[in-house]
């Protein structure tokens, strides 16, 4: 069987796994940040949640902007040239590899996801700068050691790596398990590596109501947590200033001052360095 035929069959198998009748977290998030890779069922629940809690759009957009600022900081200030992005989601603008390789064309990025809808868009993620490398792994957050072993095919584990897990850990229902997964992933990284996390938080009645509505839609549940629980993911790491904070407040761009009238964003983030 030719490689082309095998690829066609693999793509068909992936498409067959996609359920367009139930809302899907990656497509739902894609809709909120203005993407086009979503279906009517995703837009319907998205519009319902906008009515319940319009602030979730700010969470989505704010988290995306935080990603860009964190990656730029790591490249410029910490000299990081390797990124392991778990829970990739659907590509939109300013993905990890695009931000990193604009700053350092030789940057190497490995994306990790096991979702069929994301797999169908993997080609869009694999467009790297000529000097750098961008790879995609069909792998599972629940198998950290397997993820690290596969990532070693692209990344040099003798040099620092930035581990990025954005808006993903809420899918792990048990907090203890979520912390254990993060601990096992960071344990496999060399000293000088960094952990980057952001997640929606149970910091307003509106966010809690939106989370409950989303979870009742039939989509894979997403569990919003308290700020102290977000901080717990960084145990054993040295937090980069300003520490655990709402996503717009993490090293905001000086040329885009915060709107003092804007409502607080119900998402917290942090960046920690492995000593």
């Amino acid at each position: 069987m030719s490689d082309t035929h095998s690829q066609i069959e693999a793509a068909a198998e992936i498409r067959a796994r996609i359920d367009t009748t139930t809302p899907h977290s990656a497509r739902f998030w894609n809709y909120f940040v203005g993407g086009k890779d979503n279906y009517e069922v995703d837009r319907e629940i998205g519009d319902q949640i906008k009515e319940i809690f319009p602030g979730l759009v700010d969470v989505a957009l704010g988290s995306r902007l935080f990603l860009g600022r964190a990656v730029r900081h790591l490249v410029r200030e910490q000299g990081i040239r390797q990124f392991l992005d778990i829970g990739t989601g659907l590509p939109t603008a300013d993905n990890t590899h695009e931000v990193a390789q604009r700053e350092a064309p030789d940057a190497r990025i490995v994306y990790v996801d096991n979702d069929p809808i994301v797999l169908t868009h993997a080609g869009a993620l694999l467009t790297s700068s000529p000097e750098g490398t961008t790879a995609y792994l069909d792998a599972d957050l629940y198998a950290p050691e397997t993820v690290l072993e596969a990532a070693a095919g692209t990344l040099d584990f003798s040099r620092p790596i930035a581990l990025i897990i954005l808006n993903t850990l809420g899918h792990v229902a048990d907090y203890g398990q979520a912390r254990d997964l993060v601990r096992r992933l960071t344990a496999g990284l060399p000293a000088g590596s960094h952990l980057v996390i952001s997640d929606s938080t149970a910091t307003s009645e509106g966010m809690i109501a939106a989370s409950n509505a989303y979870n009742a839609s039939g989509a894979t549940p997403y569990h919003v947590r308290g700020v102290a629980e977000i901080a717990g993911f960084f145990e054993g790491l040295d937090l980069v200033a300003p520490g655990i904070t709402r996503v717009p407040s993490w090293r905001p761009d000086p040329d885009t001052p915060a709107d003092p009238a804007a409502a607080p964003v119900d998402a917290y983030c942090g960046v920690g360095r492995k000593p």
Side-chain angles (χ1 to χ4, degrees), residues 244-268:
I244 305 301
T245 182
R246 294 184 191 268
V247 289
S249 300
W250 197 91
R251 296 178 176 255
D253 292 326
D255 55 349
T256 53
D259 179 0
V265 174
D266 291 301
Y268 275 71

Side-chain angles (χ1 to χ4, degrees), residues 159-237:
R159 298 170 54 219
I161 295 168
L163 170 63
I164 299 174
I165 314 176
L166 300 192
N167 307 301
T168 296
L169 291 166
H171 285 304
V172 183
D174 182 78
Y175 177 61
Q177 183 181 22
R179 283 190 62 169
D180 182 62
L181 293 172
V182 173
R183 179 191 60 77
R184 289 158 63 189
L185 285 164
T186 54
L189 302 180
S193 293
H194 286 70
L195 172 66
V196 181
I197 287 176
S198 75
D199 248 319
S200 303
T201 48
T203 42
S204 76
E205 292 183 2
M207 172 57 85
I208 293 170
S211 176
N212 290 338
Y214 178 78
N215 292 345
S217 72
T220 301
Y222 201 93
H223 306 275
V224 292
R225 297 191 162 104
V227 178
E229 291 175 302
I230 303 300
F233 291 126
F234 293 90
E235 183 178 7
L237 304 180

Side-chain angles (χ1 to χ4, degrees), residues 21-272:
T21 65
T22 303
H24 181 283
S25 61
R27 300 191 313 244
F28 170 84
W29 214 244
N30 177 265
Y31 174 54
F32 266 29
V33 297
K36 298 179 180 179
D37 298 311
N38 46 74
Y39 294 99
E40 183 63 27
V41 67
D42 309 300
R43 295 187 287 273
E44 286 178 357
I45 186 62
D47 290 339
Q48 290 174 24
I49 289 179
K50 283 181 186 178
E51 292 184 7
I52 296 171
F53 181 55
L56 194 57
V57 175
D58 297 325
V59 168
L61 296 174
S63 298
R64 198 72 189 173
L65 292 172
F66 161 68
L67 169 65
R69 297 196 304 275
V71 170
R72 285 191 292 273
H73 165 76
L74 291 171
V75 174
R76 295 174 182 174
E77 307 298 328
Q78 303 298 325
I80 299 292
R81 295 295 183 271
Q82 303 188 104
F83 296 83
L84 178 58
D85 188 331
I86 298 180
T88 302
L90 289 165
T92 54
D94 286 340
N95 301 288
T96 299
H97 75 284
E98 293 170 322
V99 177
Q101 291 179 347
R102 276 200 296 269
E103 300 291 329
D106 62 337
R108 305 172 73 84
I109 295 88
V110 172
Y111 289 107
V112 179
D113 212 303
N114 70 335
D115 196 297
I117 189 69
V118 176
L119 284 170
T120 62
H121 293 80
L125 290 172
L126 294 174
T127 305
S128 175
S129 66
E131 303 91 338
T133 301
T134 305
Y136 182 87
L137 298 179
D138 179 9
D140 196 327
L141 170 67
Y142 290 92
E145 290 76 22
T146 301
V147 168
L148 294 172
E149 181 179 1
T154 300
L155 305 179
D156 178 359
F157 275 68
S158 69
R159 298 170 54 219
I161 295 168
L163 170 63
I164 299 174
I165 314 176
L166 300 192
N167 307 301
T168 296
L169 291 166
H171 285 304
V172 183
D174 182 78
Y175 177 61
Q177 183 181 22
R179 283 190 62 169
D180 182 62
L181 293 172
V182 173
R183 179 191 60 77
R184 289 158 63 189
L185 285 164
T186 54
L189 302 180
S193 293
H194 286 70
L195 172 66
V196 181
I197 287 176
S198 75
D199 248 319
S200 303
T201 48
T203 42
S204 76
E205 292 183 2
M207 172 57 85
I208 293 170
S211 176
N212 290 338
Y214 178 78
N215 292 345
S217 72
T220 301
Y222 201 93
H223 306 275
V224 292
R225 297 191 162 104
V227 178
E229 291 175 302
I230 303 300
F233 291 126
F234 293 90
E235 183 178 7
L237 304 180
D238 298 327
L239 281 171
V240 173
I244 305 301
T245 182
R246 294 184 191 268
V247 289
S249 300
W250 197 91
R251 296 178 176 255
D253 292 326
D255 55 349
T256 53
D259 179 0
V265 174
D266 291 301
Y268 275 71
C269 65
V271 177

